[in-house]
Amino acid sequence: MPIYNPPLRDMQFVLHEVFQVTDAFKAMPRHAEVDVDTVNAILEEAGKFASGVTFPLNISGDEEGCTLNRDTHEVTTPQGFKQAYQQYVEGGWAALSCEPEFGGQGLPHVMNQCLYEMLNSANQAWTMYPGLSHGAYEALLAHGTPEQKQTYLPKLVSGEWTGTMCLTEPHCGTDLGLLRTKAEPQADGTYKITGAKIFISAGEHDMAANIVHLVLARLPDAPKGSKGISLFVVPKYHVNADGSLGARNPVFCTGLEHKMGIHGNATAQISLDGAVGTLVGEPHKGLAAMFVMMNAARLGVGNQSLGLTEVAYQNALAYAKDRLQMRSLSGTKAKDKEADPIIVHPDVRKMLLTAKAYAEGARALQIYCTLLLDQSHHHPDEKVRKDSDELVALLTPIVKAFITDNGHTATNACMQVFGGHGFIKEWGMEQHVRDNRINMIYEGTNTVQSLDLLGRKVLGNQGATLKKFGKLVAALVAEEGVNEKMAEFINPIAMLGEQMTKFTTEIGFKGMQNPDEVGAAAVDYLRVAGHLVFGYMFARMAQVALRAIAAGNADPFYVAKLQTARFYFAKLFPETVMLMRTARAGSKVLMDTDAALA
Amino acid sequence: MPIYNPPLRDMQFVLHEVFQVTDAFKAMPRHAEVDVDTVNAILEEAGKFASGVTFPLNISGDEEGCTLNRDTHEVTTPQGFKQAYQQYVEGGWAALSCEPEFGGQGLPHVMNQCLYEMLNSANQAWTMYPGLSHGAYEALLAHGTPEQKQTYLPKLVSGEWTGTMCLTEPHCGTDLGLLRTKAEPQADGTYKITGAKIFISAGEHDMAANIVHLVLARLPDAPKGSKGISLFVVPKYHVNADGSLGARNPVFCTGLEHKMGIHGNATAQISLDGAVGTLVGEPHKGLAAMFVMMNAARLGVGNQSLGLTEVAYQNALAYAKDRLQMRSLSGTKAKDKEADPIIVHPDVRKMLLTAKAYAEGARALQIYCTLLLDQSHHHPDEKVRKDSDELVALLTPIVKAFITDNGHTATNACMQVFGGHGFIKEWGMEQHVRDNRINMIYEGTNTVQSLDLLGRKVLGNQGATLKKFGKLVAALVAEEGVNEKMAEFINPIAMLGEQMTKFTTEIGFKGMQNPDEVGAAAVDYLRVAGHLVFGYMFARMAQVALRAIAAGNADPFYVAKLQTARFYFAKLFPETVMLMRTARAGSKVLMDTDAALA
């Protein structure tokens, strides 16, 4: 039977010992009251919900999937999903980090981050229903009219209704400029929207009374391309003035995709047949409004892979301790047993530690990012808000692509620990691999993320934001540069930081001659940047662990953290050597290949 | 609709232009008559069978899977599988490389290799039914008694019956020394076999009249461990003296596994309830006899991933040319279209070329290996036979692990080219990823392969066999070292060859102090060795291509080959830099982790 134990100790370590989040909260009037006990109590309850309520539905949800009634256009979610969602709503979880004005609890994004990590470990497919809703909430909060906010936000905050983002069409995904869905203005100020959308996660289901679709479409006078796209809110059921549900709006689920994974989530084909909606934000500026939701979603996708990496690791570790097979190369370890547990084998440890290091690095980065997000919203100092916002923008593509690619490596490694049993559904390991696989694709493929990072976020402002992150690394290097015990953690990031400056400049120059050089280097570049960021996170965690040990703290957690950090720098971080070499190999070997790719 | 075009041109290039196989055949009396026309005619017909008969059943077979009737213990394979198998038998394909003495066509293994590459591209799950049979044929041919051969081989050769290998039990896979199935000698010289086997590929089905199980079990007086295992042949139906089928033997399918992939193949739980069998080979030496089958199977598994890499590549290439999305970074390419085809993007090309290079490198290596296999059996010179045999032994774990790991990278890259559509079953791409995933696990996990390579095949004889391969590399370097046009292909392998000698010695010394150093380095080592071998293959292919171009041959195939080789050395081969670094990081960071893995 698969297990999941919420990693509360590691979360608390990152929250309280590494980033001292409650001190950071004190600087923000909105969150000043959120103390350590509150944080820990919420974590504990969230962990109980995830492990106790949604985790038991993970394998069954995968097996059962969603079903569409083609006559009614209604979708039935897997058994138990609806009830679990009811519990989620009743527990107030949907409202955790939402605005009190609309019924939210007003807690920091950091808390939502930890809640969602655990929900994703427990059941990614289920978690996408409230996850998409929260994104819709964020977009309406930022760009909705007062009336739209009043109509939709209280219900999205409570979770009574859920939300979606309707972007993709059959002929366009990455390139939203091509989209064709039309919005016709009506005399009453509303719009009639007609078109076909695909890949709409949580697009139709039986878990909530209403579904609030955020739909990208074109107005009749819209310019071509991405500057002619507007955003509309299109509810499944119209909402009467008193808040009760009115007539069915013709926004129908016409099909469900058959997918590799996340079977429990309804990936809907949505047909809008003159569905009535209202405009969100300004005409033709829908993409910018939708990006509020997209950016949140990108951090959320990284979080999905963090969750899957953690749960895969926990199960692989348990199996490696339990499964007896062969003897240790360095001599029998379990003399009383007919074979040694496979955890004695170096490569089994390597697979386990790969997942563990990638989970812990990702957890630190995700919490760091969402703390920046809280500061960008609620810090009283404008400069802090601005700097935080810029850093989140820089880190978002790294979170999305680096953590999901690492999740691919990690879930596959954990599956491999199980040998043949890893391939068998009942063990649950292959599902983590399948579920994780979409994370590398949706909300902008990982290639798109890399172009966003290198092209827009780094070269787009001459490396100014990257330098801000570089300063944090430099400060840590300066602080710990003479501490011999920290040398093994500091030297690699000090060296990589310097190399990256040169590396970035190089690509920048080459890219000015030939923009394909940027496209050729971007994916490698993002992973190098990812390792610099993870290296920084591990160095900070090692710093805390060394100080705790020096202070006489005997908790083996700190020793464990140092071992994981050492493994990370020895076995994963050296990928950067290869990446800088392959990036430097340039674009010519890719582009001068018309004969090969004929 | 997924496509598959048999890669006949590339096969012919490798067979005739790179390895001149028909010249090699001339040196072997058995194969001296096999000329170029014969080879090409067989390839063409094999390609028609694969693309026309089994490929159309690939997606439907995955969707439908196999079903077990629990009352009769009979398994129904997906619709069309049985008829396709009938055509395979009628076409004589099962007999292609089998001994004429038992009805085979006596053609070289090289021909079977090419047939199976195409069958695997078309439908890995289906191909495993004849594939396992062929393995059982090989084991009985090498170790069966004259009576066993007479009873079973003609029917396995014709394909009227199929075979299996029954090794794994619930508590033992890698560690066969733990197996518990018992064989009790009977007065008539037969044995009653009792036990439970799992993960038996093609273990039960409706495609053939009889199933010949090769079963590992223990005799009553067997020593403990792997030296107490004997091999038995246990038919599903007994065979009467006249060759007709007799009574049902109690070897029953009691369950089918629910798996990540290869759904069309019945992965059976097999219960032997006093099933009657006869001993194959000597008592207690069953593992050695089974290794005949295992070694063939390991080459066969590499071939499965070669097949999947090729078909994934073909489909991703077609999609990348067809799908319009965004504009090229270096300026609009398709002015008449609303966007450029995604093949203009450098990273899309990188993903495509990764698959192409891994397919072409694997094809060359597989053909090279099976040619060595033919020489090891049929070359008149004993030294050539012995050298060939040793080289195959060295290369087998590389073929198995390197090609299947590359297949994982390649099928995932090709799926990624499809963006969101890659995750959708109808496109067929995610199935290649799922089907390939088992190849990294079965017939000895890739970690086990790496220990076989480094521990047994390299360090086990002080690098003697590795030196033999090194001499081939050195000879090519000497031959082309002053050819400027070859420098880009020769320099990397010359350098890596030297580095590997030092690297191997280093690990050998460290391993003498601490055997865990071998276990810690093995997986990285295998991939370094794999790149040396692929590098050698690409250098030889580039050599042929350059000579053809120099001779005025205008076929763009040769330009394409050079482009692919350049890409390989620029973007994939540099992985070795990372691998040698991570291997050198040693075992301590893996083994001193008891706190981390608590």
Side-chain angles (χ1 to χ4, degrees):
Chain A
M1 281 287 287
I3 54 163
Y4 174 59
N5 297 307
L8 302 181
R9 177 67 180 93
D10 199 56
M11 284 183 179
Q12 287 162 348
F13 169 77
V14 174
L15 291 167
H16 304 311
E17 298 177 65
V18 180
F19 297 121
Q20 286 122 343
V21 291
T22 52
D23 289 352
F25 295 158
K26 284 198 184 76
M28 299 178 242
R30 155 71 71 88
H31 301 313
E33 308 286 300
V34 182
D35 61 10
V36 172
D37 287 348
T38 307
V39 168
N40 291 351
I42 292 169
L43 291 186
E44 198 165 319
E45 288 307 309
K48 279 183 197 161
F49 179 85
S51 60
V53 178
T54 58
F55 183 61
L57 305 173
N58 191 44
I59 291 184
S60 60
D62 179 69
E63 280 170 8
E64 194 182 337
C66 297
T67 47
L68 168 68
N69 182 323
R70 290 190 175 271
D71 297 326
T72 63
H73 301 289
E74 297 287 330
V75 167
T76 307
T77 54
Q79 211 167 0
F81 270 42
K82 188 175 172 169
Q83 292 79 352
Y85 186 71
Q86 201 55 40
Q87 277 184 260
Y88 183 80
V89 171
E90 283 164 12
W93 294 111
L96 195 69
S97 69
C98 297
E99 288 293 311
E101 184 188 348
F102 301 104
Q105 298 183 39
L107 284 158
H109 283 94
V110 164
M111 298 314 303
N112 221 39
Q113 161 60 36
C114 295
L115 164 66
Y116 268 80
E117 182 203 313
M118 294 187 275
L119 292 175
N120 286 320
S121 282
N123 194 327
Q124 175 172 327
W126 182 91
T127 304
M128 290 170 67
Y129 294 101
L132 267 294
S133 290
H134 192 74
Y137 157 82
E138 299 257 13
L140 283 174
L141 183 69
H143 293 279
T145 63
E147 200 187 336
Q148 285 168 338
K149 289 185 187 180
Q150 213 45 61
T151 305
Y152 297 111
L153 290 187
K155 298 290 192 179
L156 286 172
V157 166
S158 70
E160 286 166 88
W161 300 351
T162 66
T164 76
M165 51 198 294
C166 298
L167 288 70
T168 305
E169 299 180 4
H171 64 290
C172 74
T174 298
D175 193 354
L176 290 170
L178 302 176
L179 75 78
R180 295 176 192 155
T181 297
K182 285 178 188 167
E184 303 257 4
Q186 305 298 302
D188 64 354
T190 65
Y191 297 80
K192 277 206 167 173
I193 298 165
T194 304
K197 297 285 180 179
I198 62 167
F199 297 169
I200 310 308
S201 296
E204 182 56 68
H205 57 80
D206 55 359
M207 288 160 65
N210 202 5
I211 300 175
V212 182
H213 300 285
L214 291 184
V215 180
L216 290 181
R218 282 184 190 286
L219 291 167
D221 61 341
K224 277 198 165 185
S226 60
K227 287 173 182 165
I229 300 172
S230 305
L231 181 63
F232 301 87
V233 55
V234 182
K236 177 177 174 183
Y237 289 100
H238 288 294
V239 183
N240 298 322
D242 65 354
S244 65
L245 294 185
R248 182 76 162 85
N249 207 0
V251 47
F252 295 120
C253 175
T254 53
L256 291 179
E257 303 290 352
H258 304 106
K259 311 183 299 285
M260 184 186 206
I262 52 165
H263 293 165
N265 199 275
T267 304
Q269 295 159 14
I270 297 279
S271 174
L272 298 124
D273 307 329
V276 176
T278 54
L279 183 70
V280 182
E282 292 176 52
H284 314 319
K285 296 199 172 162
L287 216 50
M290 190 57 111
F291 254 95
V292 171
M293 188 164 180
M294 289 275 277
N295 280 325
R298 288 173 175 184
L299 294 176
V301 174
N303 208 19
Q304 293 177 332
S305 286
L306 161 56
L308 293 177
T309 301
E310 173 67 31
V311 70
Y313 166 69
Q314 290 188 16
N315 283 279
L317 177 64
Y319 187 81
K321 289 176 178 174
D322 186 57
R323 175 77 171 176
L324 306 177
Q325 209 79 175
M326 311 298 285
R327 290 297 182 184
S328 162
L329 291 171
S330 54
T332 296
K333 297 293 181 288
K335 291 200 176 67
D336 54 326
K337 293 183 176 149
E338 59 177 354
D340 287 334
I342 60 173
I343 199 169
V344 303
H345 303 301
D347 193 58
V348 170
R349 288 190 173 229
K350 185 177 173 188
M351 293 188 274
L352 293 170
L353 288 162
T354 296
K356 184 180 173 69
Y358 277 149
E360 293 182 9
R363 183 172 298 121
L365 175 56
Q366 290 274 13
I367 288 174
Y368 178 72
C369 265
T370 36
L371 183 59
L372 289 172
L373 209 59
D374 282 317
Q375 286 178 337
S376 77
H377 287 131
H378 295 299
H379 202 282
D381 182 337
E382 192 190 334
K383 185 171 180 324
V384 174
R385 286 204 304 276
K386 188 169 167 291
D387 283 353
S388 301
D389 190 55
E390 280 176 24
L391 263 181
V392 174
L394 177 78
L395 293 171
T396 296
I398 297 174
V399 165
K400 199 285 182 179
F402 191 63
I403 297 179
T404 61
D405 280 347
N406 294 345
H408 182 62
T409 301
T411 53
N412 272 290
C414 291
M415 177 181 157
Q416 192 76 11
V417 168
F418 279 71
H421 298 276
F423 201 64
I424 307 300
K425 287 186 180 288
E426 282 79 353
W427 289 93
M429 298 306 287
E430 59 85 45
Q431 186 187 344
H432 301 318
V433 172
R434 287 186 290 106
D435 287 350
N436 183 78
R437 191 63 186 80
I438 191 60
N439 301 342
M440 301 152 79
I441 298 173
Y442 62 13
E443 306 306 339
T445 67
N446 285 0
T447 300
V448 168
Q449 301 302 321
S450 75
L451 292 169
D452 178 47
L453 176 69
L454 180 56
R456 258 164 41 99
K457 307 285 174 64
V458 173
L459 301 178
N461 68 3
Q462 280 76 45
T465 317
L466 183 68
K467 276 184 201 127
K468 280 188 190 163
F469 185 78
K471 274 187 191 164
L472 297 174
V473 176
L476 185 65
V477 171
E479 186 185 348
E480 293 286 1
V482 293
N483 179 352
E484 267 183 43
K485 288 200 166 162
M486 277 294 286
E488 59 182 317
F489 311 114
I490 288 293
N491 291 347
I493 59 169
M495 191 185 294
L496 185 62
E498 282 169 30
Q499 288 170 334
M500 264 204 82
T501 307
K502 201 171 156 231
F503 184 48
T504 308
T505 311
E506 253 177 56
I507 300 171
F509 275 116
K510 285 166 74 176
M512 279 189 283
Q513 309 289 322
N514 176 6
D516 279 336
E517 289 289 339
V518 175
V523 168
D524 293 337
Y525 186 90
L526 184 142
R527 284 199 66 80
V528 175
H531 279 299
L532 182 65
V533 173
F534 267 37
Y536 173 73
M537 294 295 151
F538 270 112
R540 286 195 59 173
M541 292 192 283
Q543 181 185 42
V544 175
L546 282 170
R547 285 177 184 172
I549 292 166
N553 192 319
D555 186 345
F557 176 89
Y558 299 107
V559 177
K561 188 59 78 176
L562 292 178
Q563 291 172 346
T564 307
R566 267 180 208 123
F567 166 82
Y568 170 74
F569 282 111
K571 299 286 187 182
L572 301 177
F573 189 87
E575 189 190 354
T576 51
V577 184
M578 169 186 77
L579 293 165
M580 285 191 281
R581 188 172 288 214
T582 52
R584 285 192 168 116
S587 71
K588 195 170 184 309
V589 292
L590 300 176
M591 304 314 286
D592 281 3
T593 53
D594 284 348
L597 299 176
Chain B
M1 280 286 289
I3 55 162
Y4 174 60
N5 297 308
L8 301 181
R9 177 68 180 94
D10 200 56
M11 282 182 179
Q12 287 161 349
F13 170 77
V14 175
L15 291 167
H16 304 311
E17 298 178 66
V18 180
F19 297 122
Q20 286 122 344
V21 291
T22 53
D23 290 351
F25 294 159
K26 285 198 183 79
M28 299 178 242
R30 158 68 73 89
H31 301 314
E33 309 288 301
V34 182
D35 61 11
V36 171
D37 286 347
T38 308
V39 168
N40 291 352
I42 293 170
L43 290 186
E44 200 165 316
E45 289 306 309
K48 280 182 198 163
F49 180 85
S51 60
V53 179
T54 58
F55 182 60
L57 305 173
N58 191 43
I59 291 184
S60 59
D62 179 68
E63 280 170 7
E64 193 182 338
C66 297
T67 46
L68 168 68
N69 181 323
R70 290 192 174 273
D71 297 326
T72 63
H73 302 290
E74 297 288 330
V75 167
T76 306
T77 54
Q79 211 166 1
F81 270 41
K82 187 176 172 169
Q83 292 79 351
Y85 186 72
Q86 200 56 40
Q87 279 184 259
Y88 183 80
V89 171
E90 283 163 13
W93 293 111
L96 194 71
S97 70
C98 297
E99 288 293 312
E101 184 187 349
F102 300 106
Q105 298 183 38
L107 284 158
H109 283 93
V110 163
M111 298 313 303
N112 222 37
Q113 161 60 35
C114 295
L115 165 67
Y116 268 81
E117 182 203 312
M118 294 187 274
L119 293 175
N120 286 320
S121 282
N123 194 326
Q124 175 172 327
W126 182 91
T127 304
M128 289 170 69
Y129 294 100
L132 267 294
S133 289
H134 192 75
Y137 156 83
E138 299 258 13
L140 283 173
L141 182 70
H143 292 281
T145 62
E147 201 188 335
Q148 285 168 338
K149 290 185 187 181
Q150 215 43 61
T151 306
Y152 297 110
L153 290 187
K155 298 289 193 180
L156 286 172
V157 167
S158 70
E160 288 167 85
W161 300 351
T162 67
T164 75
M165 50 197 293
C166 298
L167 287 71
T168 305
E169 300 180 5
H171 65 291
C172 73
T174 298
D175 194 354
L176 290 170
L178 302 176
L179 75 79
R180 293 175 193 156
T181 296
K182 284 180 187 166
E184 302 258 4
Q186 305 297 301
D188 64 356
T190 64
Y191 297 81
K192 278 207 165 172
I193 298 165
T194 303
K197 297 285 179 180
I198 62 168
F199 297 168
I200 310 309
S201 296
E204 181 58 67
H205 57 80
D206 55 1
M207 289 161 63
N210 202 5
I211 300 176
V212 181
H213 299 285
L214 290 184
V215 180
L216 290 180
R218 280 184 190 286
L219 292 167
D221 61 341
K224 277 198 167 184
S226 60
K227 288 175 182 161
I229 300 172
S230 305
L231 181 62
F232 300 87
V233 55
V234 182
K236 177 177 173 184
Y237 289 101
H238 287 294
V239 183
N240 299 322
D242 65 356
S244 64
L245 294 184
R248 182 75 163 87
N249 207 0
V251 47
F252 295 120
C253 175
T254 52
L256 292 179
E257 303 291 351
H258 305 105
K259 311 183 299 284
M260 184 187 207
I262 52 167
H263 293 163
N265 200 275
T267 303
Q269 295 159 13
I270 298 279
S271 174
L272 298 125
D273 306 329
V276 176
T278 54
L279 183 69
V280 180
E282 292 176 52
H284 315 320
K285 295 196 171 163
L287 216 48
M290 190 56 111
F291 253 94
V292 172
M293 188 162 180
M294 289 276 276
N295 279 326
R298 286 173 176 185
L299 294 176
V301 173
N303 208 20
Q304 293 177 333
S305 286
L306 162 55
L308 294 177
T309 301
E310 173 66 31
V311 69
Y313 167 68
Q314 290 188 16
N315 284 279
L317 177 63
Y319 187 82
K321 288 175 178 174
D322 186 58
R323 175 79 171 174
L324 306 177
Q325 209 79 176
M326 311 298 284
R327 291 296 182 185
S328 162
L329 291 172
S330 53
T332 295
K333 298 290 182 288
K335 290 200 177 71
D336 54 325
K337 295 187 173 145
E338 61 177 355
D340 287 334
I342 61 171
I343 200 168
V344 304
H345 303 301
D347 193 58
V348 170
R349 289 191 173 227
K350 185 179 173 187
M351 293 189 275
L352 293 171
L353 288 162
T354 297
K356 184 179 172 69
Y358 276 149
E360 293 182 9
R363 181 172 299 120
L365 175 56
Q366 291 274 12
I367 288 175
Y368 179 72
C369 265
T370 36
L371 183 60
L372 289 172
L373 210 59
D374 282 318
Q375 287 178 336
S376 78
H377 286 131
H378 294 299
H379 202 282
D381 183 338
E382 192 190 332
K383 186 171 180 321
V384 175
R385 288 203 304 276
K386 187 169 168 290
D387 283 354
S388 300
D389 190 57
E390 279 176 25
L391 265 181
V392 174
L394 177 78
L395 293 172
T396 296
I398 296 174
V399 165
K400 199 284 181 179
F402 191 63
I403 297 178
T404 61
D405 280 349
N406 294 346
H408 182 63
T409 301
T411 53
N412 273 290
C414 291
M415 177 181 156
Q416 192 77 11
V417 168
F418 279 71
H421 298 276
F423 200 64
I424 306 301
K425 287 185 181 288
E426 282 78 354
W427 289 93
M429 299 306 288
E430 59 85 44
Q431 186 187 342
H432 301 318
V433 172
R434 288 187 288 104
D435 286 351
N436 183 78
R437 192 62 186 82
I438 190 60
N439 301 344
M440 300 152 79
I441 298 173
Y442 62 13
E443 306 305 339
T445 67
N446 285 0
T447 300
V448 168
Q449 303 300 324
S450 75
L451 292 168
D452 178 47
L453 175 71
L454 181 57
R456 257 164 41 101
K457 305 284 172 68
V458 173
L459 301 177
N461 69 3
Q462 279 78 45
T465 318
L466 182 68
K467 276 183 200 128
K468 281 187 189 164
F469 185 79
K471 275 187 190 164
L472 298 174
V473 176
L476 185 66
V477 171
E479 186 184 347
E480 294 285 1
V482 292
N483 179 350
E484 268 183 42
K485 289 200 165 163
M486 278 293 287
E488 59 181 319
F489 311 115
I490 287 293
N491 291 348
I493 59 169
M495 191 185 295
L496 185 62
E498 281 169 29
Q499 288 170 335
M500 265 205 81
T501 307
K502 199 171 158 228
F503 184 48
T504 307
T505 311
E506 253 177 57
I507 299 171
F509 274 116
K510 283 166 76 176
M512 280 191 283
Q513 310 288 323
N514 176 6
D516 279 335
E517 289 289 339
V518 175
V523 168
D524 292 338
Y525 185 90
L526 184 141
R527 284 199 66 79
V528 176
H531 279 299
L532 182 64
V533 173
F534 267 37
Y536 173 73
M537 295 295 150
F538 270 111
R540 286 195 59 174
M541 292 192 283
Q543 183 185 41
V544 174
L546 282 171
R547 285 178 183 172
I549 292 167
N553 192 318
D555 185 346
F557 177 88
Y558 299 107
V559 177
K561 187 61 77 175
L562 292 178
Q563 290 173 347
T564 307
R566 269 181 205 121
F567 166 81
Y568 170 74
F569 282 111
K571 299 287 189 181
L572 300 177
F573 189 87
E575 189 190 353
T576 52
V577 184
M578 169 187 77
L579 293 164
M580 285 191 281
R581 189 174 288 213
T582 52
R584 285 193 170 115
S587 71
K588 195 171 184 308
V589 291
L590 301 175
M591 304 312 287
D592 281 4
T593 52
D594 285 348
L597 299 175

